[in-house]
Amino acid sequence: GLKYFADFSATKSKTIYDIVDGSDGFYSCKIDKDARSRMNVTFTLRSQEEEAEFVRAAKERGIVGVKGHRSVGGIRASLYNAVTMESVQVLADFMKSFLKNSQA
C-alpha cells in the first residue's frame, strides 16, 4: 500500500539525487537535502547553455519534459507514481553519460 509507494518514490528520487550530489558541482541542487521533493527532482547545470544542451540531448534520447519552470529554469525530473524504475534508470544513465561527455 502506501509504504510501498513511499519507499518506491524514495528509491527513484535517490537514484537521481545521488548523481547530482556526486557530480562535483556539474549538477547542483540548491534545496536542502531534508526538504527535497521525491516527486519533482530539480537541479541546475553550470550554465544556461549546458542546461539547453542537456534538454536537447535528452529529447534526442526520448527523455522529454525535463526543462525546468520558465521562471526558475534548471532541470526538473518528474517522478510521479506512474514513472517506472526503468524510466528513472534511463534518465540516470543519460545524466551519467552527459556528465562524462561534458568532461571529455
Side-chain angles (χ1 to χ4, degrees), residues 64-88:
V64 297
V66 294
K67 185 175 181 180
H69 190 275
R70 66 184 172 274
S71 67
V72 180
I75 305 297
R76 181 184 73 183
S78 295
L79 305 178
Y80 294 101
N81 289 338
V83 175
T84 64
M85 192 63 210
E86 179 182 26
S87 294
V88 172

Side-chain angles (χ1 to χ4, degrees), residues 28-62:
S28 176
C29 181
K30 302 193 182 353
I31 301 168
D32 290 337
K33 287 185 179 184
D34 59 345
R36 291 177 174 179
S37 172
R38 285 189 248 156
M39 293 293 153
N40 288 296
V41 175
T42 59
F43 57 93
T44 58
L45 281 79
R46 298 175 296 189
S47 70
Q48 290 180 346
E49 292 78 19
E50 282 182 325
E51 289 174 6
E53 178 59 21
F54 181 95
V55 171
R56 185 200 63 74
K59 187 174 182 180
E60 282 184 359
R61 289 160 183 80

Side-chain angles (χ1 to χ4, degrees), residues 83-101:
V83 175
T84 64
M85 192 63 210
E86 179 182 26
S87 294
V88 172
Q89 195 58 55
V90 167
L91 175 60
D93 291 345
F94 167 72
M95 289 174 68
K96 291 175 191 174
S97 174
F98 190 83
L99 169 63
K100 181 179 178 182
N101 291 337

